[in-house]
Amino acid sequence: MGELIKTNSEILFLYDAKLTNPNGDPDDENRPRMDYETKTNLVSDVRLKRYVRDYLQEKGYEIFVAKVEGETVNATERLEKLLGKTSKNISKDDVPVLLEKLVDVRLFGATMPIKSEDGGSSLTFTGPVQFNWGYSLNKVELVESNTITSRFSSASGNEQGTMGKDYRLYYSLIAFHGIVAAHRAKFTQLDMETLSLLDEAFVKAIPLLATRSKIGQYPRLYLRVEYVDDTTYLGDFRSFLEVNPKEGLRDITDYALEAGKLVDLLAENNPKIIKILMYFDHNLKTTYHGEAKNFARLLAEKLGDSKVSILNY
């Protein structure tokens, strides 16, 4: 592992979902998670982290929260597989090896069934990288037709195929906000190399790992704002964004993202910022206080070219 991170970062991630189910709710017939009062789509942080974990695992990195050889295992079995030991022989002395092996624990933390110093039955690592739930910046609508049929019958002798439900949204622009807390890095050994892998995963994971219900989702904007110290946070960047118009959207071409307040916030706090790492999809139309502006060029103008680094993979 390389040099541990020493300063905080904040993350803004926007991706869109067209005719997909971004995050089904098992308590509601797997309908997309919703705030029905505001007509906004919700996506859990667990769903977002799953994208990152699956991408890194596909790249050959070891993941703690993962299947082993295609089989679901519990946490104890996972540790035994990783260390080649029985659970009774696993102790806190094995933690450095585990942190070196497990990229997702370095990022997100984990609870592991290892006896702690206070006599507890598990050790909990609070990850430096945390996200709150994502939500859509626009008001969403469920696709009106949701019944699907299969050519296969539900039982031998039935001539008709089976019928089921397939709930999808017409269009959702989903926004996440996250933090990278430097003071927690020493507990999980989060280094700059691992944090760079996180940047890569956000840009590449979602379209590469598309399933039947997820195809049609693409990253549109990613910012990781790296600060000069381990105390600075500017707050939830999503509250400084607005979609115009907000209703009736069906495609990325139907609206513009008003980012003037966010750009002004970052410009005002320029002395607190080391750099901004950014991915920007040019299909996303952006405005600055109502005037059409390219978001990437605008940030570079306001903060200086040296402060903005474009992520190209």
Side-chain angles (χ1 to χ4, degrees):
M1 291 186 290
E3 181 183 2
L4 298 187
I5 65 165
K6 296 187 172 106
T7 64
N8 293 345
S9 293
E10 276 185 286
I11 292 171
L12 173 70
F13 180 49
L14 272 60
Y15 70 98
D16 62 359
K18 182 177 179 180
L19 295 175
T20 77
N21 184 346
N23 189 197
D25 185 349
D27 293 327
D28 192 17
E29 295 185 318
N30 207 44
R31 288 180 173 89
R33 295 182 189 271
M34 291 286 295
D35 179 339
Y36 288 104
E37 289 190 11
T38 61
K39 296 184 180 179
T40 50
N41 174 212
L42 304 176
V43 178
S44 73
D45 62 317
V46 174
R47 172 65 270 183
L48 185 67
K49 291 175 181 177
R50 185 75 265 162
Y51 284 126
V52 174
R53 286 187 168 103
D54 288 350
Y55 176 78
L56 295 177
Q57 188 173 29
E58 287 281 334
K59 294 274 289 184
Y61 293 94
E62 199 76 71
I63 301 296
F64 180 59
V65 184
K67 290 184 177 180
V68 178
E69 298 174 357
E71 299 293 328
T72 301
V73 297
N74 61 36
T76 299
E77 292 170 331
R78 185 75 182 107
L79 290 180
E80 290 176 337
K81 291 268 188 183
L82 285 165
L83 296 169
K85 296 181 177 182
T86 60
S87 59
K88 65 180 181 180
N89 294 320
I90 296 174
S91 70
K92 60 183 179 62
D93 294 334
D94 294 304
V95 167
V97 174
L98 290 169
L99 292 178
E100 185 174 357
K101 282 177 175 283
L102 299 169
V103 63
D104 60 331
V105 178
R106 294 200 297 275
L107 288 165
F108 306 134
T111 297
M112 297 183 177
I114 301 172
K115 287 185 178 179
S116 57
E117 293 181 356
D118 62 4
S121 60
S122 62
L123 282 176
T124 298
F125 299 92
T126 302
V129 181
Q130 298 295 334
F131 297 90
N132 40 25
W133 276 39
Y135 58 79
S136 63
L137 298 178
N138 63 300
K139 294 185 178 182
V140 302
E141 299 173 60
L142 278 170
V143 175
E144 294 177 7
S145 176
N146 54 51
T147 300
I148 56 173
T149 60
S150 168
R151 293 300 298 270
F152 290 100
S153 62
S154 59
S156 178
N158 284 356
E159 294 184 2
Q160 292 184 336
T162 58
M163 300 181 66
K165 298 293 185 181
D166 184 18
Y167 297 103
R168 295 175 183 242
L169 300 172
Y170 284 111
Y171 187 84
S172 178
L173 180 64
I174 301 157
F176 274 92
H177 172 259
I179 63 168
V180 183
H183 71 276
R184 294 181 187 152
K186 61 184 177 182
F187 299 110
T188 68
Q189 296 297 294
L190 178 61
D191 60 347
M192 293 302 297
E193 182 180 344
T194 304
L195 196 53
S196 294
L197 287 175
L198 182 72
D199 296 332
E200 178 184 337
F202 272 112
V203 175
K204 299 179 77 172
I206 288 179
L208 287 178
L209 298 172
T211 61
R212 179 181 174 276
S213 67
K214 301 293 185 288
I215 191 167
Q217 300 186 158
Y218 296 97
R220 300 303 185 181
L221 176 64
Y222 174 75
L223 295 181
R224 181 164 64 80
V225 181
E226 192 173 308
Y227 298 121
V228 298
D229 55 39
D230 62 356
T231 58
T232 299
Y233 288 118
L234 297 183
D236 192 332
F237 292 150
R238 296 173 297 182
S239 61
F240 297 90
L241 297 173
E242 188 175 340
V243 166
N244 293 311
K246 197 170 184 176
E247 298 184 58
L249 306 185
R250 296 293 185 268
D251 188 77
I252 194 172
T253 60
D254 291 342
Y255 63 90
L257 180 71
E258 170 54 52
K261 291 180 181 179
L262 177 59
V263 172
D264 290 346
L265 175 74
L266 296 173
E268 289 165 7
N269 289 277
N270 199 0
K272 300 178 182 179
I273 296 170
I274 296 176
K275 63 181 176 181
I276 298 177
L277 294 100
M278 176 171 59
Y279 168 80
F280 176 65
D281 185 331
H282 291 277
N283 291 306
L284 178 64
K285 294 181 289 187
T286 52
T287 56
Y288 178 69
H289 300 297
E291 183 180 357
K293 291 282 187 178
N294 178 283
F295 186 72
R297 287 198 292 268
L298 181 62
L299 268 188
E301 289 171 9
K302 295 290 185 180
L303 282 85
D305 288 334
S306 63
K307 286 284 181 83
V308 180
S309 180
I310 304 298
L311 297 170
N312 293 309
Y313 298 107

